[in-house]
Amino acid sequence: MEKFRAILLLGPPGSGKGSIGTILAYLGMGKHLSSGDIFRQLPKGSSLERGFREQEKKGLLLPDEQAVAIFLKHLNSLVEQQVLHPAKDLLILDGLPRTVEQVDLIKAQVVVETVVHLKIRDQQTIYDRIEKRARKEGRPDDQISHLARERVKEYERKTVEILNRYPPGILVPVFADLPLPYVCRDLLNKLLSK
């Protein structure tokens, strides 16, 4: 199968990956794929769904191989349905890869061309955003403050090191603690000038 090209949105919980991915897709810059949305749509009562919910309740990530297998199965399903076309569609990846191991597991099917690093300078901003999202969307992983803190620790332990796996020339740092319109303006300016 021909490989997909992708933009990876990388940032802590609450950094705006979902919102920014949705906006970039709306602007025609690619197809937004949120791993969290994919995992939350697993068949109810299935062993995969139960495993995801158990990890979510602890603020932890799914095991690497399982997360990537679910993601790739979803991706291949979209190709079979002719919703996605590797030759022409650019993916906007939100939430996967999240570990160095996942970087290696997806590279047979996905080539990451740009890594958007969404930086938050004050951790309290992260917790305020997660709390606001919990009230708005009712996500279980957002509703308990110690889970939110555990998810931020998981990001710092496992996800930040991904930045070292990609060449510096494809990294696009953006301060994501600004209001969303400013973040998007800054990001678009950087992406369009590449």
Side-chain angles (χ1 to χ4, degrees):
M1 183 173 120
E2 190 170 349
K3 291 184 180 183
F4 275 98
R5 298 169 20 254
I7 296 173
L8 170 59
L9 301 178
L10 188 66
S15 59
K17 295 182 295 292
S19 298
I20 291 166
T22 300
I23 290 168
L24 291 177
Y26 177 77
L27 294 173
M29 298 193 69
K31 305 282 184 162
H32 179 221
L33 287 179
S34 162
S35 62
D37 290 348
I38 294 167
F39 299 153
R40 280 185 278 280
Q41 293 171 10
L42 289 167
K44 299 287 182 220
S46 68
S47 61
L48 288 175
E49 192 259 351
R50 285 194 305 274
F52 168 68
R53 295 294 175 194
E54 286 172 20
Q55 292 297 94
E56 184 181 48
K57 287 176 189 171
K58 297 174 190 170
L60 301 175
L61 302 175
L62 279 173
D64 293 323
E65 290 181 1
Q66 186 178 27
V68 171
I70 293 167
F71 170 78
L72 292 178
K73 182 178 179 184
H74 181 77
L75 183 63
N76 291 327
S77 165
L78 294 175
V79 171
E80 287 170 14
Q81 296 168 43
Q82 298 188 357
V83 174
L84 288 179
H85 307 278
K88 68 175 189 170
D89 289 326
L90 177 70
L91 302 180
I92 302 167
L93 301 179
D94 159 7
L96 195 138
R98 286 191 182 188
T99 67
V100 169
E101 291 76 14
Q102 290 179 10
V103 169
D104 293 334
L105 289 168
I106 70 163
K107 68 183 178 186
Q109 286 190 262
V110 179
V111 176
V112 174
E113 295 182 344
T114 304
V115 178
V116 176
H117 183 201
L118 300 170
K119 297 179 165 190
I120 303 283
R121 292 170 276 205
D122 176 17
Q123 277 201 346
Q124 189 56 48
T125 301
I126 295 170
Y127 302 126
D128 292 346
R129 287 181 177 182
I130 289 172
E131 185 179 310
K132 182 178 176 183
R133 184 171 66 189
R135 288 193 305 268
K136 184 177 177 184
E137 297 176 19
R139 279 180 38 180
D141 56 333
D142 287 341
Q143 294 184 4
I144 303 171
S145 63
H146 77 273
L147 287 183
R149 294 186 189 286
E150 184 56 39
R151 288 173 55 226
V152 172
K153 286 181 193 169
E154 277 281 275
Y155 171 79
E156 291 167 351
R157 277 191 302 256
K158 296 181 177 180
T159 308
V160 171
E161 66 183 281
I162 288 176
L163 293 169
N164 298 323
R165 290 302 298 272
Y166 293 108
I170 70 166
L171 299 179
V172 178
V174 178
F175 286 112
D177 45 7
L178 300 170
L180 187 59
Y182 296 103
V183 175
C184 289
R185 181 191 64 194
D186 184 28
L187 175 57
L188 287 170
N189 286 336
K190 289 179 177 182
L191 290 176
L192 295 174
S193 67
K194 280 188 76 130

